[in-house]
Amino acid sequence: MSPVNDDVMVFVVLAAGLRPVMAPVSPRDGNIDIRVVPESTWRSVGAVLTTNVYGMPDDADELRTRCDRMGIPLLEDAAHAIGTTVGDRPIGTFGKAAAFSLGKHAGATGGGFLALEDPADRKALEHLRDELLAPRQLHRDLAYALRPLARAAVQRLHLVRPVWRVMRTLGLLERERFRMELQERHLREAAGRSPDLGAFDRWVRVDLHGYRREHGRLLRRTLRRRMSGLDTDLSRRREGTRLLGGTVWAAAGVRSAVGDRGVPPLFRVPLMVRDRDKLVARLERCGVVIGYLYDPPLDDFAGPEFVEPSPAPEAARWFAAHALPVDPLLARRMMRLLQREAPQPADPFPGPALRDQSPRV
Ligand SMILES: Cc1ncc(COP(=O)(O)O)c(C=O)c1O
């Protein structure tokens, strides 16, 4: 798996009783760089997990070919990548299974779906899901159904900054900076009990405490309504990606994707800037809170006791330190702010020239 990833993902892998093995990534887009993965790593892993970080596609075709050769499954994390394609083929159709998140593109507050290669696996997975879920609760359903409306109201009333500051003051935000606290002692204990999702609850529930709660009718209806707006959401994302992807700051992978025929409907557009953290602070003062910052990479965050470090960590560190993930739905406002703030583009990654790495999309 890529170390440029949400911290919850490392805890999910640990909860499954597995050891997360970090892959080298491409500085073009932050996804696994298959050309730099050593043979010894290929021989040591039991599965490959993609990220499709911010909606930019992994080399899914190549990864699948390689996984088939090794006799191991490819699993696709498509949380950021509803609507992303490689050629004409959607992300989510390359692996044995793919997980999609409705909390991202559809603007819902949780929920998701699995896409399976073999329909015969469905029954067993439904059974596992039912074993893991806690019974539904009406008041939680109501809270989850109302949350996207509350979020939209806060944005429309320009209350993002005060609300965010109040939440921080009240200790309601679970990440001090971009990563949650590792809680090493507790993690060591939990690792001794894995596989066991419950043992990892304190980490896995971050951002979504009700993640194991079964959805009731009200929430399902809300999710269905939000999903019906998905095509409009994706076209707006393509527009925003086209605008931001044409700027000097856009990550190399995004720039070439935008130059191609089909612009991807990115979840976030990674812009590579020199003093990223200072810019994040300045944007906060303007009421724009930037999320989904995966810095430091997961191997630096969790350490070798819990994860297998990448054999070539530099590109992940560079990408994680410079990426500013901008919501393409806010592209016009962000373009005005970026023109005013005029951040310096990040110095190029001091590895092999980016132009030597062929575009993926
Ligand atoms: C790359 C990635 N994968 C998976 C997830 C989990 O998504 P969800 O909690 O909606 O299932 C996230 C959440 O932010 C993510 O960023």
Side-chain angles (χ1 to χ4, degrees):
M1 64 185 281
S2 158
V4 181
N5 204 331
D6 193 89
D7 29 16
V8 169
M9 291 308 291
V10 95
F11 299 109
V12 171
V13 176
L14 287 167
L18 304 169
R19 179 165 170 87
V21 175
M22 298 299 146
V25 307
S26 165
R28 296 175 54 79
D29 56 21
N31 286 319
I32 295 176
D33 189 344
I34 194 166
R35 285 159 294 201
V36 194
V37 179
E39 270 312 306
S40 53
T41 303
W42 275 113
R43 282 197 300 274
S44 73
V45 295
V48 171
L49 176 67
T50 62
T51 320
N52 301 298
V53 70
Y54 305 132
M56 287 296 291
D58 266 273
D59 255 343
D61 217 356
E62 286 270 330
L63 284 168
R64 178 64 197 245
T65 306
R66 193 63 211 243
C67 283
D68 284 349
R69 218 183 305 149
M70 305 303 292
I72 57 176
L74 176 71
L75 303 170
E76 292 181 272
D77 181 345
H80 293 190
I82 297 186
T84 295
T85 55
V86 178
D88 287 334
R89 191 167 161 190
I91 282 297
T93 62
F94 292 88
K96 287 269 176 220
F100 289 87
S101 161
L102 296 181
K104 312 278 189 295
H105 278 74
T109 8
F113 55 93
L114 284 181
L116 303 175
E117 185 177 56
D118 184 354
D121 290 335
R122 181 179 171 140
K123 270 261 156 310
L125 282 163
E126 278 178 350
H127 181 69
L128 282 172
R129 175 202 61 195
D130 293 342
E131 270 186 0
L132 287 171
L133 285 179
R136 65 184 77 157
Q137 283 178 333
L138 183 61
H139 71 278
R140 280 193 192 260
D141 252 27
L142 208 57
Y144 275 111
L146 290 175
R147 225 156 81 161
L149 300 178
R151 196 187 292 154
V154 163
Q155 268 173 4
R156 213 167 300 125
L157 298 171
H158 301 289
L159 293 174
V160 172
R161 192 170 172 230
V163 167
W164 185 73
R165 284 176 85 175
V166 168
M167 286 176 71
R168 169 158 278 186
T169 311
L170 295 177
L172 294 174
L173 298 179
E174 294 179 278
R175 288 183 171 90
E176 242 327 287
R177 270 180 52 79
F178 310 141
R179 294 292 192 195
M180 67 178 90
E181 210 191 313
L182 190 65
Q183 307 178 72
E184 228 171 294
R185 194 171 54 79
H186 290 296
L187 189 58
R188 204 166 290 128
E189 266 169 39
R193 286 168 51 198
S194 70
D196 181 353
L197 186 57
F200 286 82
D201 199 53
R202 65 170 71 222
W203 300 277
V204 177
R205 72 181 181 190
V206 164
D207 299 332
L208 202 63
H209 281 218
Y211 78 104
R212 285 179 75 166
R213 189 97 14 222
E214 188 187 2
H215 292 167
R217 271 222 305 275
L218 175 67
L219 192 48
R220 281 178 198 213
R221 207 177 315 135
T222 310
L223 289 176
R224 220 172 292 129
R225 207 180 48 243
R226 294 207 151 249
M227 276 300 278
S228 67
L230 185 63
D231 285 341
T232 314
D233 178 277
L234 293 180
S235 348
R236 288 179 58 215
R237 284 181 187 279
R238 276 192 199 93
E239 271 313 298
T241 302
R242 194 194 312 275
L243 203 61
L244 292 161
T247 65
V248 289
W249 304 287
V254 176
R255 226 174 310 132
S256 43
V258 165
D260 274 16
R261 191 167 45 95
V263 177
L266 293 188
F267 170 56
R268 292 289 183 268
V269 182
L271 305 181
M272 309 308 286
V273 293
R274 194 182 286 172
D275 291 317
R276 198 270 320 276
D277 294 0
K278 281 194 190 141
L279 182 59
V280 166
R282 289 207 301 272
L283 291 172
E284 273 164 19
R285 286 197 283 278
C286 304
V288 177
V289 175
I290 302 284
Y292 302 96
L293 287 148
Y294 302 141
D295 189 20
L298 292 177
D299 35 4
D300 291 339
F301 163 65
E305 179 181 351
F306 300 108
V307 308
E308 197 60 36
S310 162
E314 298 79 13
R317 286 183 188 144
W318 180 84
F319 191 90
H322 294 293
L324 179 83
V326 173
D327 186 348
L329 300 179
L330 304 178
R332 289 193 184 281
R333 179 164 181 222
M334 287 303 295
M335 289 293 278
R336 282 195 296 277
L337 285 172
L338 288 166
Q339 274 159 8
R340 200 180 74 195
E341 298 291 334
Q344 287 288 317
D347 293 331
F349 174 64
L354 289 178
R355 67 176 173 283
D356 295 343
Q357 302 182 18
S358 52
R360 292 167 175 196
V361 180

